[in-house]
Amino acid sequence: GESVGLHLPTLSVQEGDNSIINCAYSNSASDYFIWYKQESGKGPQFIIDIRSNMDKRQGQRVTVLLNKTVKHLSLQIAATQPGDSAVYFCAEYRGGADGLTFGKGTHLIIQP
Amino acid sequence: DTEVTQTPKHLVMGMTNKKSLKCEQHMGHRAMYWYKQKAKKPPELMFVYSYEKLSINESVPSRFSPECPNSSLLNLHLHALQPEDSALYLCASSWTDSGNTIYFGEGSWLTVV
């Protein structure tokens, strides 16, 4: 797999490798986090979410990890495929009646 | 596939025009949202409706006027826009406005000329 620094705009991985996309959130009161995938010309698509009472959650080929101590969120994609190419956004819910606040996004590029 | 439907997909309007963007969801969600997204940027919240009442207006200029006719519909009325308002406008919905997954439509691409 490949680990990247925070808020890197682009991550390039080989097809079949694991991808790790990182995100830092700003508000320690945030209690709900979502990862979205946005393909070119489309709206954001829900991938996976996690609440602040959890450290890890797994879906199909995706895992989200939450480290509340350092306010860090990561998305792991196993066996990356060409269809995974997109911009990935983390988003945090700060509680109350606010909508989501999005991170800057990471463009995942899959190399054959 | 998203169950939030937005029309039109593309809109070109002049600075003196009046137009509307429309959004519809039939998931029974009681919170609906408008976001604005510029190229290569994350979506930014504009408005939140909760149970058909406007609960959040993120200091959006008055040339953008939201309307929620019923729990399934959300409109965004546009008047006297500026070229810098050109963007992707995203509608979204969730069960309530507190800590539920927000589902997005495919967006309406707006170009102001």
Side-chain angles (χ1 to χ4, degrees), chain A residues 31-32 34 36 38 40-46 49 51 89 93 95-105, chain B residues 33 35 37 40-43 45 48 55-56 88 90 94 96-107 109:
Chain A
D31 56 5
Y32 180 49
I34 304 177
Y36 286 94
Q38 188 173 24
S40 180
K42 296 189 175 183
Q45 177 187 357
F46 170 85
D49 58 1
R51 298 202 179 268
F89 292 102
Y93 234 128
D98 291 337
L100 290 176
T101 299
F102 282 78
K104 293 181 181 178
Chain B
Y33 310 80
Y35 281 80
Q37 186 176 26
K40 300 187 188 300
K41 297 288 187 183
L45 182 65
V48 180
S55 63
I56 292 180
L88 177 66
L90 293 161
S94 61
T96 69
D97 61 1
S98 298
N100 300 120
T101 303
I102 294 182
Y103 295 95
F104 285 84
E106 297 288 30
W109 289 93

Side-chain angles (χ1 to χ4, degrees), chain B residues 67-79:
Chain B
E67 178 198 17
C68 189
N70 60 53
S71 59
S72 300
L73 296 175
L74 185 67
N75 299 322
L76 186 63
H77 302 299
L78 314 171
H79 175 53

Side-chain angles (χ1 to χ4, degrees), chain A residues 14-47:
Chain A
Q14 293 288 127
E15 183 177 348
D17 284 354
N18 296 333
S19 302
I20 300 176
I21 301 171
N22 294 306
C23 178
Y25 62 93
S26 56
N27 192 329
S28 57
S30 295
D31 56 5
Y32 180 49
F33 304 88
I34 304 177
W35 279 100
Y36 286 94
K37 172 186 180 183
Q38 188 173 24
E39 297 176 271
S40 180
K42 296 189 175 183
Q45 177 187 357
F46 170 85
I47 301 174

